[in-house]
Structure formats: structure tokens, C-alpha cells
Amino acid sequence: MAGETVITVVGNLTADPELRYTQNGLPVANFTIASTPRNFDRAANEWKDGDALFLRASVWREFAEHVAGSLTKGMRVIAQGRLRQRSYQDREGNQRTAIELEVDEIGPSLRYATAQVTRAASTGGAGGGGQARPAQQQVSEEPWSTPGSSTSADAWSTPGSFGDDTPF
């Protein structure tokens, strides 16, 4: 939509995504992404971390359940979404403003890890029209432990090879 601020952020989850349900039974997952810039200090001849940006994020509906079941604390993720600003009153009655990321796409970063993608079951719900849903990310128990460690080279399937003829 016109006028929306779309950003992409790369960082690590500070905790497991928190999955909750609204009074109407709508799933929502909330989590925080910490993104820390690194710069090379030529004088010291070393990399130095900058100030971390902690960005609250949320996902809704079946997407929220996929995120909560797939991503965990410490995982490096790539998230794209729209910045949202909301105002609220804190417990002391002060007016506050929060900026949050409403996530449109998220997945694990494969820079230092591998992941296994499993197609989620088709639900045929609103907007689905019986079409297959986006792939669910599943990762091994310790996927981010050692940069350069690898599992099978066949961990990724080719497009359309998830057991059906649905192209991507």
C-alpha cells in the first residue's frame, strides 16, 4: 500500500516467539529481533559491534503458528514487513508511542546454518481457496551452533517437489 514503510531486518531472536490467541481465537505471535551492526575499526584492525537495535515484531493467523513452531531464541532471521506506530497509556498514565514491525515474511538466515523446509498442510481457509499454504521452516535441534557446520547437502528440495504439483 502507498505510504507504508517497508523494511528488511537481519538479526537474532532475543527469546522464543510468544504465541497467544485473541478473544476471537485469532493466533498472534510476538517476538523481538536484535540487530547489531558491525564495523571494521581500521585503527584497531578489528571488527567492533555497534549499538543493537531491538525491534518488536508480530505475525498473525496461521503464519503466527508457523513462526512459533519453527523459530527459537538465538536464531538468526531475515524479516521483512511494515513499520507500525501505535500510542498507548502506560500503568502510570503516561502517553507512550511504540514502533513495531508487522512481519510479512520471515525465515532463518542460512549464512551460518542450514534448514529443512516442510510444506504446511493446506487449510483452504479465507483467502486460501484450497491452495497450498507457504512452506513451514523446520530446523534441527542446534542449527545455529557452529558457523560452517553442515548437514546433508540434500536438505533443500527443488521448487515444486513438496509432494504436489504446486509451483512456487
Side-chain angles (χ1 to χ4, degrees):
M1 292 185 164
E4 291 184 327
T5 304
V6 177
I7 67 165
T8 301
V9 63
V10 178
N12 297 75
L13 297 184
T14 62
D16 290 347
E18 177 187 342
L19 181 64
R20 295 181 297 114
Y21 294 85
T22 65
Q23 291 178 353
N24 296 333
L26 194 64
V28 58
N30 295 297
F31 51 94
T32 300
I33 301 171
S35 181
T36 307
R38 297 196 80 201
N39 297 306
F40 189 74
D41 182 344
R42 291 179 190 243
N45 199 32
E46 64 183 9
W47 288 95
K48 294 192 176 179
D49 288 339
D51 294 331
L53 167 70
F54 293 91
L55 187 59
R56 288 292 296 166
S58 64
V59 293
W60 292 84
R61 297 177 177 75
E62 189 177 20
F63 188 17
E65 293 171 333
H66 292 178
V67 166
S70 304
L71 302 177
T72 59
K73 177 181 179 177
M75 284 185 174
R76 186 172 183 83
V77 297
I78 303 167
Q80 183 177 34
R82 293 161 281 130
L83 286 180
R84 296 284 188 222
Q85 179 175 307
R86 66 178 177 89
S87 297
Y88 64 97
Q89 200 171 54
D90 66 14
R91 292 179 186 157
E92 290 80 37
N94 299 316
Q95 194 66 19
R96 300 284 183 185
T97 301
I99 296 176
E100 299 170 338
L101 181 65
E102 191 172 304
V103 176
D104 293 320
E105 297 286 343
I106 188 168
S109 169
L110 300 180
R111 186 171 191 158
Y112 303 114
T114 61
Q116 179 70 39
V117 177
T118 304
R119 188 148 189 104
S122 177
T123 62
Q131 297 174 353
R133 295 291 183 170
Q136 178 178 350
Q137 304 291 331
Q138 291 183 343
V139 294
S140 64
E141 195 170 310
E142 291 285 335
W144 315 120
S145 58
T146 310
S149 65
S150 177
T151 58
S152 170
D154 296 325
W156 287 93
S157 299
T158 57
S161 66
F162 288 94
D164 63 23
D165 295 323
T166 307
F168 281 93

